[in-house]
Amino acid sequence: ATHRRPPPSPPMARLFLDQEPLTQYKDRAFEGSIEEYLDALRHSATLYVGNVSFYTTEGQMHAAFSQCGAVRRIVMGLDKAKQTPCGFAFVEYHNRADAEACVRYLNGTKLDDREIRVDFDWGFVEGRQYGRGKSGGQVRDEYRTYFDAGRGGYGKLLRDELEGMKAREGGGAAPEVGVKRERD
């Protein structure tokens, strides 16, 4: 008889998160066990808002999120190097019930023509308002390979490559991405 080997198990943290409806994300900056993290999520009145346009204002955020309850404060995510918006925010409510209503009603809705992601967060602490990417913004924006006007255009790595090509070609217009150039 042949014995089938069971599929490899995901890491224990992944098992907990997959069974937990609060979030599918584990913030690596949280210092504590997965149980402590999930407990913090269950009691927090703080939300993480992702996929925010770089042009969305705090006033627009307040107008949208105050529809679910009294907002205690909004902290806009900033590029650590440039001190400019970089596409996320933290929204704190005065109570858990309003935060739950917000996740239920605003997650997946459009704000400033972008579908935002609203998720429970373990709580804002100073320093978390800054992007964690090498360039100072969000990591995901460094690797983006398509043009996204609401998040600053192309990703940083591709933008740097296009600018380098432009400089090597004598300052002419950068070639279109995905279009073959004629060889000399």
Side-chain angles (χ1 to χ4, degrees), residues 15-40:
L15 281 175
F16 281 112
L17 291 178
D18 287 344
Q19 295 172 6
E20 182 61 52
L22 292 171
T23 187
Q24 290 295 307
Y25 172 73
K26 166 72 167 76
D27 185 353
R28 68 176 189 246
F30 183 82
E31 295 177 5
S33 69
I34 189 70
E35 291 81 13
E36 292 167 323
Y37 179 71
L38 293 173
D39 190 53

Side-chain angles (χ1 to χ4, degrees), residues 99-169:
E100 289 174 358
C102 184
V103 171
R104 189 175 320 114
Y105 298 119
L106 293 184
N107 185 36
T109 62
K110 287 202 173 190
L111 176 63
D112 225 4
D113 290 327
R114 300 192 65 78
E115 188 175 304
I116 58 171
R117 188 182 80 247
V118 181
D119 209 353
F120 291 104
D121 188 79
W122 57 273
F124 177 78
V125 292
E126 189 60 35
R128 289 190 69 211
Q129 73 269 34
Y130 298 112
R132 297 180 188 166
K134 291 177 187 171
S135 65
Q138 285 191 280
V139 174
R140 67 177 269 206
D141 289 317
E142 293 185 351
Y143 297 98
R144 186 178 49 254
T145 58
Y146 57 89
F147 188 85
D148 187 340
R151 292 185 71 88
Y154 292 111
K156 169 130 178 54
L157 298 175
L158 181 58
R159 193 171 53 246
D160 289 350
E161 185 177 332
L162 291 172
E163 288 171 4
M165 289 171 69
K166 182 178 175 183
R168 285 189 300 277
E169 292 178 0

Side-chain angles (χ1 to χ4, degrees), residues 54-65:
F54 287 8
Y55 307 103
T56 300
T57 66
E58 190 173 329
Q60 288 172 291
M61 295 282 294
H62 193 274
F65 285 83

